[in-house]
Amino acid sequence: MRAVDIIIKKRDGLALSKAEIEFFVNGYTRGDIPDYQASAWAMAVLLQGMDAEETTNLTLAMAATGDTLDLSSVVDIAVDKHSSGGVGDKTSIAVVPMVRACGLPVGKMSGRGLGFSGGTLDKLESIPGFRTNLTKDEFLAQLKSLGMVLTGQSVDLAPADGKLYALRDVTGTVPSIPLIASSIMSKKIAAGAQAIVLDVKTGNGAFMETLEDARRLATLMVSIGELSGRNVVALLSDMNQPLGVEVGNALEMKEAILTLRGEGPEDFVAHCLEVASEMLVLGKRAGSKAEARAMAEDALANGGGLEYLRKLIEAQGGDVSYIDHPEKLPVAPLRVNVEAPRAGYVAEVHARTVGETAVGLGAGRMKKGDPIDPAVGISVLVKVGQAVEAGRPIFVIHARKAEDVEPARQALLEAVRIGDEPVEPLPLFYGLIE
Amino acid sequence: MRAVDIIIKKRDGLALSKAEIEFFVNGYTRGDIPDYQASAWAMAVLLQGMDAEETTNLTLAMAATGDTLDLSSVVDIAVDKHSSGGVGDKTSIAVVPMVRACGLPVGKMSGRGLGFSGGTLDKLESIPGFRTNLTKDEFLAQLKSLGMVLTGQSVDLAPADGKLYALRDVTGTVPSIPLIASSIMSKKIAAGAQAIVLDVKTGNGAFMETLEDARRLATLMVSIGELSGRNVVALLSDMNQPLGVEVGNALEMKEAILTLRGEGPEDFVAHCLEVASEMLVLGKRAGSKAEARAMAEDALANGGGLEYLRKLIEAQGGDVSYIDHPEKLPVAPLRVNVEAPRAGYVAEVHARTVGETAVGLGAGRMKKGDPIDPAVGISVLVKVGQAVEAGRPIFVIHARKAEDVEPARQALLEAVRIGDEPVEPLPLFYGLIE
């Protein structure tokens, strides 16, 4: 078998066999197939596509290139969740303790923020002492003892994907739906997931800007689940405006705590309940969605979720006093309101612009390894469809440096659109693919 | 400007600007842009295409990356010819002396054979002493003194093309018409051509197997000529059956000599007259095609072409006695007839199979640098449309080793198809694009 023949086959729009995909992935991971062949192949995949079977074979081949976790001795069904990334998305921090409180163990590996999109690890690390670098043994031990882990990837999951992603980033081959799907699914499968709730976001603050692309990605990942014997469902959720109120690491950590206290913003609470319900059904803790939803609501109402967040923070070395007193979380020195320039109906709160503005304040990174400031960020006080009076605060800028305030204000005033005509609120979800 | 943005633009099917193409070509040639970006770009070009303006900019950018020849102080109009390669194509060896005999100087750089396709240099080197490695100064001096050169590329013409071609060869990005067109034209332009007769072959023994592809390539190269201020015409010629009788280096050298003696096979003579006539018109040695053709015919009839071949061989250190006594050329020890298995009309003499069979005998190379045997090859004694009796010789195998004969015979019997129904002869040409 020769790499060039596999490239040619894909270039000509033909489907690659399992053996061909394994040859290519393994050869590339070992370094026998050079970057210049892999990038030509990736471009051919981007332009010619891959069917569900090929994408499944790619996913499984990449998952097999590194460490794999077998959670079957630790949990009865390994349920995972994955969000495709967005602005204000602190869902995992609230949902993992919620479902744990309902009896479903979850061992989850999360990521860091990049560009306009935030990351769970960065948010958790605003609590002093909290460790996100558990070893594989620590991961398994804590999942067994506590039934809950939220950490970074300390094991080498799907190194083929890591290597290929770095190459795609510099060769214009990122936005291929089969390559995105296999990248996400290979890591989840290597991490031992037997069932996965995917939260595929769509809108200007998501990687899939159109609903059509989000639906294609979600459908393909559900098919990969089916073809690889994993139970996968995908929620299609809105990311045209930020999720919840807070955007920024400590701000979002605080919002997750408040949510588990029953004081969360309506849209974020509804989002968490939906994700948690799907997880409880997949994990066979509930016989129906309705039952699952009632359980998840209880976990918010009775403080069960909050109690488990406390246990999670404690188990991973964090200072639990921050859970009881979230006002201890880092606070930015400058807090400046941005007021509505006119009265009317909010027609847009452009999520990507809000995310990028938060990055500009220091809340995120332009490239991997950049430092972040946990305290800074933006509170988004309005939602699409809402009526506002002129002069009423619509954002709060949380800034470290005075010179950052004015550019952020200008950007936020461009992110928001207020009109005379009433506007329908944006839906939270566009559907469920299962 | 960033290479990745240029890749993305082409991936998305947009036309690249002159500045973008120059940035990419120069960056790649210098090594600032790595192979893995160039291969992704080449795949994007292959699948998304390039228009004539982009291809012209690519051609000129590649031509400018290395040495360029300025022939204006040596010749009044620098006319070149180029064949896209085929089986039995010894045209340059006959045509260059023919047009020189008609007063048109030609300094031409030729190539070697690869795969089923032969190369002019290999054929010329079957004459002892003949040098194909003239320096740039020797090239210019001989063009000035003799008005005729036929040598290899000793100067570094369009190194970007050489580097990119090697990359395309291993990344499945060879068969892109814009990349092929710019590869050919960049070297011709760097070599100083102001006018070019392209001989674009089509058929199973050519790189462009379909007439449609050949026409697209020819049309694009003529457009490049127009947009870059060069006068370019392209003949579309048949390569479904070998050109002339002989396939193999010394055999073809001998056939070129016989042709210049007026004893050439009908199809090859007609081919040479056509190419020569176009060159004479482009070089303004004739006012019309008819006048040019009469001049070219004279050069064959009066021995002028033969005399100039003699001078060419002499100028480049070759033993001219081989021109007077072509029977001195290397002869294979084994000469075996292949006979018609049945009576009927010849429906096919599959050029690629004949070419590959000649390679199998040692006449060509599978990869660059392989040694070749000048003596071996195949004489093709029939043409499509011809009526044959059973048992009449249709091929002669010229072999070095006895064990090569039987496989060659089997392959040749598969290359030829003889049927009951009369068959139209194949045309020599499918048109002229100017």
Side-chain angles (χ1 to χ4, degrees):
Chain A
M1 218 177 273
R2 298 191 316 157
V4 65
D5 296 324
I6 295 172
I7 300 170
I8 288 170
K9 197 170 170 186
K10 181 44 66 188
R11 177 197 79 194
D12 293 343
L14 303 173
L16 301 179
S17 71
K18 187 167 190 285
E20 286 163 340
I21 288 171
E22 286 174 354
F23 174 86
F24 206 92
V25 167
N26 294 334
Y28 180 55
T29 310
R30 278 196 309 267
D32 296 346
I33 294 176
D35 281 339
Y36 56 77
Q37 288 187 314
S39 61
W41 173 86
M43 184 60 80
V45 170
L46 187 145
L47 290 170
Q48 296 285 23
M50 263 193 166
D51 65 26
E53 192 182 328
E54 289 176 281
T55 312
T56 302
N57 288 328
L58 177 60
T59 301
L60 294 175
M62 293 204 299
T65 55
D67 290 330
T68 52
L69 291 183
D70 179 1
L71 306 181
S72 62
S73 62
V74 191
V75 295
D76 59 342
I77 304 176
V79 179
D80 205 340
K81 77 163 277 284
H82 177 83
S83 156
S84 64
V87 180
D89 185 5
K90 66 287 294 180
T91 309
S92 293
I93 303 173
V95 156
V96 169
M98 279 167 74
V99 298
R100 176 64 190 86
C102 301
L104 180 67
V106 178
K108 175 164 167 51
M109 296 190 188
S110 285
R112 299 201 175 273
L114 190 63
F116 64 83
S117 178
T120 298
L121 300 183
D122 298 325
K123 297 166 194 176
L124 284 165
E125 286 175 353
S126 48
I127 296 198
F130 188 80
R131 289 179 57 212
T132 58
N133 61 348
L134 301 198
T135 65
K136 183 175 175 177
D137 286 346
E138 287 175 324
F139 181 97
L140 292 171
Q142 182 177 320
L143 183 56
K144 188 156 194 168
S145 61
L146 182 63
M148 186 176 39
V149 193
L150 207 42
T151 183
Q153 270 188 41
S154 53
V155 293
D156 195 14
L157 294 182
D161 173 64
K163 190 175 176 184
L164 186 60
Y165 190 87
L167 182 67
R168 287 166 54 205
D169 198 34
V170 292
T171 55
T173 49
V174 168
S176 154
I177 286 179
L179 294 180
I180 294 169
S182 58
S183 174
I184 293 170
M185 294 295 285
S186 65
K187 283 177 287 193
K188 291 286 145 192
I189 288 175
Q194 292 162 299
I196 308 163
V197 176
L198 297 167
D199 181 11
V200 179
K201 303 205 178 291
T202 178
N204 61 57
F207 294 101
M208 297 290 114
E209 293 195 42
T210 67
L211 181 56
E212 189 196 341
D213 277 351
R215 198 183 295 279
R216 283 176 59 212
L217 175 63
T219 304
L220 183 54
M221 292 195 289
V222 169
S223 298
I224 293 170
E226 209 161 300
L227 292 168
S228 66
R230 270 80 176 178
N231 205 350
V232 177
V233 301
L235 291 161
L236 293 169
S237 64
D238 181 72
M239 191 37 76
N240 286 296
Q241 62 186 344
L243 183 61
V245 170
E246 309 293 358
V247 178
N249 297 290
L251 290 167
E252 293 189 50
M253 186 68 218
K254 185 176 166 189
E255 188 165 50
I257 296 167
L258 294 179
T259 298
L260 290 170
R261 278 190 187 173
E263 301 161 17
E266 193 185 331
D267 66 329
F268 180 60
V269 170
H271 188 84
C272 289
L273 287 171
E274 189 70 19
V275 173
S277 304
E278 292 296 341
M279 291 177 78
L280 291 169
V281 170
L282 282 195
K284 300 198 194 308
R285 290 307 183 270
S288 70
K289 187 85 178 275
E291 189 191 336
R293 194 171 179 93
M295 289 168 72
E297 283 171 351
D298 277 355
L300 288 185
N302 65 22
L306 183 65
E307 187 51 34
Y308 268 100
L309 177 62
R310 212 173 195 289
K311 288 183 182 173
L312 178 75
I313 299 298
E314 190 168 31
Q316 292 181 217
D319 182 344
V320 292
S321 71
Y322 282 70
I323 304 303
D324 305 324
H325 303 283
E327 67 279 9
K328 290 178 73 176
L329 283 162
V331 171
L334 300 168
R335 296 208 264 175
V336 181
N337 287 344
V338 178
E339 285 150 7
R342 55 166 288 185
Y345 296 91
V346 177
E348 181 167 49
V349 187
H350 196 273
R352 183 181 293 240
T353 304
V354 173
E356 286 169 351
T357 306
V359 172
L361 291 167
R365 329 182 153 77
M366 291 311 298
K367 58 176 199 298
K368 273 187 192 171
D370 283 351
I372 58 161
D373 183 338
V376 300
I378 295 159
S379 304
V380 181
L381 308 179
V382 288
K383 293 282 161 186
V384 169
Q386 205 171 317
V388 293
E389 296 301 309
R392 163 216 147 139
I394 51 175
F395 297 105
V396 184
I397 298 169
H398 304 253
R400 172 78 52 196
K401 293 176 284 183
E403 67 266 32
D404 289 348
V405 173
E406 198 46 38
R409 181 206 303 275
Q410 289 306 324
L412 292 172
L413 286 173
E414 291 203 5
V416 77
R417 218 158 27 85
I418 301 173
D420 292 326
E421 298 299 312
V423 177
E424 281 293 307
L426 285 169
L428 286 178
F429 296 101
Y430 297 97
L432 175 73
I433 293 170
E434 56 190 338
Chain B
M1 217 177 272
R2 298 191 317 157
V4 65
D5 296 323
I6 295 172
I7 300 170
I8 288 170
K9 197 169 171 187
K10 183 43 66 188
R11 176 198 79 194
D12 293 343
L14 303 172
L16 301 179
S17 71
K18 187 166 189 284
E20 286 164 338
I21 288 171
E22 286 173 354
F23 174 87
F24 206 91
V25 167
N26 294 334
Y28 181 55
T29 309
R30 278 197 310 268
D32 297 344
I33 294 176
D35 281 339
Y36 56 77
Q37 289 188 314
S39 62
W41 173 86
M43 184 60 81
V45 170
L46 187 146
L47 291 170
Q48 296 285 23
M50 263 192 166
D51 65 27
E53 191 182 329
E54 289 176 281
T55 313
T56 302
N57 288 328
L58 177 61
T59 301
L60 295 174
M62 293 203 299
T65 55
D67 290 331
T68 53
L69 291 183
D70 178 1
L71 305 181
S72 62
S73 63
V74 192
V75 294
D76 59 341
I77 304 176
V79 180
D80 206 341
K81 76 164 279 280
H82 177 83
S83 156
S84 64
V87 180
D89 184 6
K90 67 286 295 180
T91 309
S92 293
I93 303 173
V95 156
V96 170
M98 278 167 74
V99 298
R100 176 63 191 88
C102 301
L104 180 66
V106 179
K108 175 165 166 52
M109 297 191 187
S110 285
R112 300 200 175 273
L114 190 62
F116 64 83
S117 179
T120 298
L121 299 184
D122 298 324
K123 296 166 194 177
L124 284 164
E125 286 175 352
S126 48
I127 297 200
F130 187 81
R131 289 180 57 211
T132 57
N133 61 348
L134 300 199
T135 65
K136 183 174 174 176
D137 286 346
E138 288 174 323
F139 181 96
L140 291 170
Q142 183 177 318
L143 183 56
K144 186 154 196 168
S145 60
L146 182 61
M148 185 176 39
V149 193
L150 207 41
T151 183
Q153 271 188 40
S154 54
V155 293
D156 196 13
L157 294 181
D161 173 64
K163 191 175 175 183
L164 187 60
Y165 191 87
L167 183 66
R168 288 166 55 205
D169 197 35
V170 292
T171 56
T173 49
V174 168
S176 154
I177 286 178
L179 294 181
I180 294 170
S182 58
S183 174
I184 293 170
M185 294 295 285
S186 65
K187 283 177 289 193
K188 292 286 146 192
I189 287 175
Q194 294 163 297
I196 308 163
V197 176
L198 297 167
D199 180 12
V200 179
K201 303 204 178 292
T202 178
N204 61 57
F207 294 101
M208 298 289 113
E209 292 195 44
T210 67
L211 181 55
E212 188 196 339
D213 277 351
R215 198 182 295 279
R216 283 175 59 212
L217 175 63
T219 304
L220 183 55
M221 291 195 290
V222 170
S223 298
I224 293 170
E226 208 160 303
L227 292 168
S228 67
R230 270 79 178 178
N231 205 350
V232 177
V233 300
L235 291 161
L236 293 169
S237 65
D238 182 72
M239 191 35 77
N240 286 294
Q241 62 186 345
L243 183 61
V245 171
E246 309 293 358
V247 178
N249 298 290
L251 291 167
E252 293 189 51
M253 186 67 218
K254 186 176 165 189
E255 189 165 49
I257 296 167
L258 294 180
T259 298
L260 290 170
R261 278 190 188 172
E263 300 161 18
E266 192 185 332
D267 66 328
F268 180 60
V269 170
H271 188 85
C272 289
L273 287 171
E274 189 71 19
V275 173
S277 305
E278 293 296 341
M279 291 177 78
L280 290 169
V281 171
L282 281 196
K284 301 198 194 308
R285 291 308 183 269
S288 69
K289 188 85 177 275
E291 189 190 337
R293 194 172 180 91
M295 289 168 72
E297 283 170 352
D298 276 356
L300 288 186
N302 65 20
L306 183 65
E307 187 50 33
Y308 269 100
L309 176 62
R310 214 173 192 287
K311 288 183 182 171
L312 178 76
I313 300 296
E314 192 168 29
Q316 291 181 218
D319 183 343
V320 291
S321 71
Y322 282 69
I323 305 302
D324 306 322
H325 302 284
E327 66 279 10
K328 288 179 72 177
L329 284 162
V331 171
L334 300 168
R335 296 209 264 174
V336 181
N337 287 344
V338 177
E339 286 150 7
R342 53 165 291 184
Y345 297 93
V346 177
E348 180 167 51
V349 186
H350 196 273
R352 184 180 292 241
T353 305
V354 173
E356 286 169 348
T357 307
V359 173
L361 291 167
R365 333 182 149 75
M366 291 310 298
K367 58 176 199 299
K368 272 187 191 170
D370 284 351
I372 58 161
D373 183 338
V376 300
I378 295 158
S379 306
V380 181
L381 308 180
V382 288
K383 292 281 161 187
V384 168
Q386 204 171 318
V388 293
E389 295 303 308
R392 157 214 153 144
I394 52 175
F395 297 105
V396 184
I397 298 169
H398 304 254
R400 173 78 53 197
K401 293 176 285 184
E403 66 265 32
D404 288 347
V405 173
E406 197 46 37
R409 181 206 301 275
Q410 289 306 324
L412 292 172
L413 286 172
E414 292 203 5
V416 77
R417 221 158 23 87
I418 300 173
D420 292 327
E421 298 299 314
V423 177
E424 282 293 308
L426 285 169
L428 285 179
F429 296 100
Y430 297 98
L432 174 74
I433 292 170
E434 57 190 336

